[in-house]
Structures are given as C-alpha cells and as structure tokens.
Amino acid sequence: MNRLADATSPYLQQHADNPVDWWPWSDEAFEEARRRDVPVLLSVGYSACHWCHVMADESFADVETARLLNENFVSVKVDREERPDVDAVYMEAVQAATGHGGWPMTVFLTPEAEPFYFGTYFPPRPRHGMPSFGEVLEGVRLAWAERREEVADVAARITRDLASRALRYDGAGVPGPDETGAALLGLTRDFDAVRGGFGDAPKFPPSMVLEFLLRQHARTGSEGALQMVEATCEAMARGGLYDQLGGGFARYSVDAEWVVPHFERMLYDNALLCRVYAHLWRTSGSAFARRIALETADFLVGELGTAQGGFASALDADSDDGTGRHREGAYYVWTPAQLVEALGERDAAYAADRFRVTAEGSFEEGASVLQLPALDGENEGGGENVGPGGGADGERLESVRARLREARAARARPARDEKVVAAWNGLAIAALAETGQYFDRPDLVDAATRAAELLAAVHTVEPAPEEGRPHTRLLRTSRDGAAGPSAGVLEDYADVAEGYLTLFAVTGRTEWLTRTGALLETVLARFVGEDGTPYDTADDAERLIRRPQDPSDNAVPSGWTAAAAALLSYAAYTGSDRHRRAAERALAVVSPLAARVPRFIGWGLAAAEALLDGPREVAVVGPASDPGTELLHRTALLATAPGVVVARGEPEPGPGTPEEAGVEADAGAEVPLLGGRGLVDGRPAAYVCRGFVCSAPTTDADELAAALTPEEPSTLP
C-alpha cells in the first residue's frame, strides 16, 4: 500500500508508484513501527534533487529492495521543503555523525523517532568503499534483531546530545562597526580575486553576503566591498551558472570557475539574486546588473509563476535528452552540431565562439554549457541598453539568443515542482516589487502583489480567539491554490514579512504593513524564548526530538536573521521599541559569528548594517496624482542607505490645519511614520528621520537624495 498519491508535495507524489510501502511523516507511521517492532527508514529529499532521483530509480523502484524495506522497516518519505524542521533536526545528526550531509538523506530511527544510523545516497552496489543500500538494510536489520540494547543506547545518546544543543546568545552584545569590519576582513581573505566568489569548488551564489557587502560599501564607502560584489556578480552571470538564453540562475557551480552548474533552478536563489543585481545597479548604475536583474525577474514570472499568482519552488536538473534518457542539464547544453542545426553554419560558428561551445565540450558527452564572456572593449557599465553588449555585435547576439531559445523550446522541458513555499514567495515578492519599481516595470510589481494576495488568502489562518488561536498563523505550502498541511516555520513568517514590507514601501498600500504586524506578533509570541532567543518552530508545533534552532544563513536567510531584519524594519515604520529590542536581541548572534564564519551569517550582517545606519526612515507625503510625489518616492526607494524604510501617504485635511502655516494635514493615522507629516507650501514633501527624530522636510528630490547619501550616522539626525 502506498500512501503518497494524495500528498500535496510533488516529491512525495514522485514516489507514489514505488513498490516501497511508503508512509508520510505522521504519528501513524511511528505507531505502526511500534506495533510491528521494526525500525523506521527516514528518507528525505526534494523534487529537483538529482541524486534523489538517482536513488529512487536505482533502489526505491527495485522490487527486491522494496521487499527488504517492506518486510523489515516502516519507510517514511519526507519533502525537506515541506518539512524543514524534520530535515534540520536529522541533518544535524547526520552531519555530527558523518562530518557531511546532503540529499537524499537516509536515517534509521527507533519507533520513538530516535536516530541511530545515518547516511545520504547509497548506491545499489558497493562503490568506492561505500556499501550498497542492500548491505546497509541487511546490517541495520541484523543490528535491530541481535544487538537491540546497543542500538537503543546509541539512539538515546545521540538524542540526548541533540536535545542539549539549544543556543544562547543573549549575553552577546549588539554587533557594531568592529564586528562588521571583522566580517569584511574575513570575507576579503576568503575572496577568489581571480574567479569571483568565495572559497573553492563547489561554489554557491553568496547572495546574502553580497547584500551585506553592498550595505557595508554604502555605509562606509569601502571600495573593496563593492569590488567583491562587482567581480562576483560579473563572474556568476557570465558563466554557466546563469542561463545565457532564458535568464535565471542554477543552484551552484560544481567547479571554481562558475562553468558547470548543478542545473536545478530554485525559486529562492533567483529571488535573492534578482534583488542583489537590482541593488548593484542602484549602487553603480551598471547596465549589466540591470540586464541580469530584469532577465532574472522575467524568469521568475515566466518560468516559475503559477496560475494562482504564486511562484513554484523549482525546476528539475534532469530532463529527457531526446533518446528517452533523463540526463542532468539536457535542456540547457549544446554541441557544435546542435548549433549548426539551429542557426546554420555561419551563425553557429559565431555562437560557438561567443558562448564557448567546443568540440571537446565543458560538460558530459561533448556538450558545452553556454557562457558569455565579455568581449574586449565591451561596455555594459552604463546606459539603458538591456541587451548583452551593444552595437552591431549586441544586435547579432540578441538575434542568435532568440533563435536558440526557439530551438530549445522544442526540447523536453525539466519538470517543475508546483509547490508554493511561503518563505520563498516572500523573497520573490520583495525582489519583484523593487525590480519593477526601479526599472519602470509595473507588471513586475503586479506579479509581486498577486503573490502576496495568494499568501494572504491561502497560506494565512486568521486568529480565532474563541477557538484558542489568538495569533495569525501561516501554512508553509500550497499547490494549485489548496493549502498544504505543514505549519509555517520561522523563515516563513520572516520572509513573508520582508516581502510585505517591501511591497508596502513600493505601493503605499497599508494592508501590507498591517499584515506584517500580525505576522511579527506571532513571531514574538510563539517563536522567541523567554531570553529572546529565536527558534525555528513555534512553541506549540509538533514536538520533535529537539526544537530546531539555527542562526546561520545557508541557501536562504535563516529564520533567525530574517526575523531580526523584519523586526528592525517594522520598528522603523512604527516606532515600536518592543520590536526594535527584539531585533537587537536576535542580532546579538552576529557578534560571535561575524569574524569566524562571515560567509554563513550574511543576512545577519546586512541587518547589522541597517541597525548601524539607523535605519533611516523616509516619509513621503503628497497626492498620488502629483508627479512631485512620485519623484520624491522614487528618489527615496533608490537610496542605498542600509535598510532605509520608505512610507508614502496622501495628505488628509484635518480640523485646525492652518494652510497659512505652510503645512497641511496629517498624512497617515494608519502608519505612524506618516503621522503628523504634511505638505510643505502646498507641495509634496519628504521627511528623513532616525528613531522618528526628523530633519526639516524637503520638497526637492536632489536635497532628498543628498540627505540619504551614506555618511557616518553621527552626521545625520
């Protein structure tokens, strides 16, 4: 019997036809293990995971392997994207026991969910010193049958060790210039000055670190910080990590030169990188950064947008190569012969030269991953040209790209994970709202708004005090407009809050600020311990062998650091000292990690930069129809001051507001930052503040830009 056919997770549904008698993660599965007195096999993966597909094809689809599993284990399949709490707890155990981790994750548990044997991918036959999966199953079966007391002791010891790992950073101080400076020094030491990025292969896009470096440059003027961003962004987007035909980034590069990616394409990477390139343009005016931001935004909407208005989780790495085989990268790679077939001899030679397609290939079986190195003298550093390069070569290159896109469209497309994850959609909302506003693309702002409306309608459970639910709750996933069963974790609340706050800044719709307040109230009530330390799950969530808690940023901002950033921004909008204190307590984790592991606390460092700068608060007041209001609003949104918050409101007539005094009515009772701010001499005005202490309002966009130009905080109000 297979119980996965009705799962909301596409990953679980991919295993619905296995001969393995799979269970979803549930109390019933562990009760069955107790009833049968057998161990539990926990298998964790996700739909875009290449090696998950490999192990499924080699082992879980194999009848003999399924017989061993069905007779001797209760087999539980988990989508790590749907249950990040389960994944986090047992991945910590895998890493502690083996020194590494990854997916698929394979863990053997007692019926009390205590782990005792660990691994990741196991091959069907012994390979490179690694036992076969069948040998592992037989070994665990014998240990359970013949050495049960030893197994129980190991499981109890591991569980005690995991349970004792609660983090406490309430004694650390709030990060200051010394900590962020030490982080910059550490990143400089780890920077690959030749190839961009940090460290050696494999190389992952360091989105959160790049955001910190942009803010560090903005606050301190550090040219070294900006140079690391520019070099890394250039290398990533000109290499094989970036889809040179359709836009968007792959998960990571297997080499140090950004040539060959692991081809799965994740929503979170592209949302974070879209925002980084938009912010790089905001800082430097680079037309190259502008192009990559817009192409990535179009990838998000065109390739990952769902019919309900949200964004799907991922595209698979694998697809049919035209021969009936599923191969990694088949949709994206090219041989010289394929270029000739698509373009003809003359343009194929040009394309092979421009995209580095060779007879030897840079990938498997003589195929090449497309790259787009800059030509000598090519300049994408300024101007408004969105195409790669410029002039005659730019026109020819764009024509070739379009024809190759058309030819590629005939290939079998990678499968898409239709699951909508709240946190990752929050990141996409923030990226699209800003990118649309910066580049006069209202369609992108509309896409961000539709996704936010989906999260509000489908993923949000409004409070019902009479039922004992006094707080707004988020559900982590949905599919086809139907909510999934998993409760939101801290990163969901924090990243959705980030998206809502950005959408509020861009559109001025107070609904999004109000919704942010409700989410953050739940964070403070349910996700923060008595000492102010955040946890990844709510205090009333399903109890696992430990309550997960990880402050480090990995592929996405940690819930811990994302919550700190959202709390800080919300405090700047509302003047709430309670939210600011909570942000400062959470950011204390940055202080001990900044110098030691800056690559893994990038979002926390970015939030620390905002804290050091204020963050600055800008209230723009004026009629929506007045071009002056729009100019001031856009000027404020383009400010590079770290973490600046922007509120825009209409002036409202009020009793006793003397026009002769030159200041008209209160502009926003709903938004504290707008309260008491009015027009100046009948004209739209902007107020620049810190901690609600404001400088004189200005009606001049140039004056506003100057007031928001990064300086030492002490020189501004």
Side-chain angles (χ1 to χ4, degrees), residues 672-686:
L673 181 57
L674 293 171
R677 325 278 186 213
L679 302 182
V680 173
D681 295 330
R683 298 167 61 191

Side-chain angles (χ1 to χ4, degrees), residues 287-288 290-291 295 378-380 384-390 394 397-398 401:
F288 177 73
R290 179 181 189 269
R291 173 171 73 84
E295 288 180 355
E378 182 178 351
N379 178 22
E380 284 193 76
E384 293 300 314
N385 178 28
V386 177
L397 181 57
E398 189 50 44
R401 290 175 83 212

Side-chain angles (χ1 to χ4, degrees), residues 110 114-116 144 147-161:
T110 71
E114 297 175 334
F116 63 89
W144 185 260
R147 304 196 308 277
R148 179 76 61 88
E149 185 174 336
E150 179 184 338
V151 169
D153 287 345
V154 169
R157 185 172 67 252
I158 293 170
T159 301
R160 284 195 304 271
D161 176 64

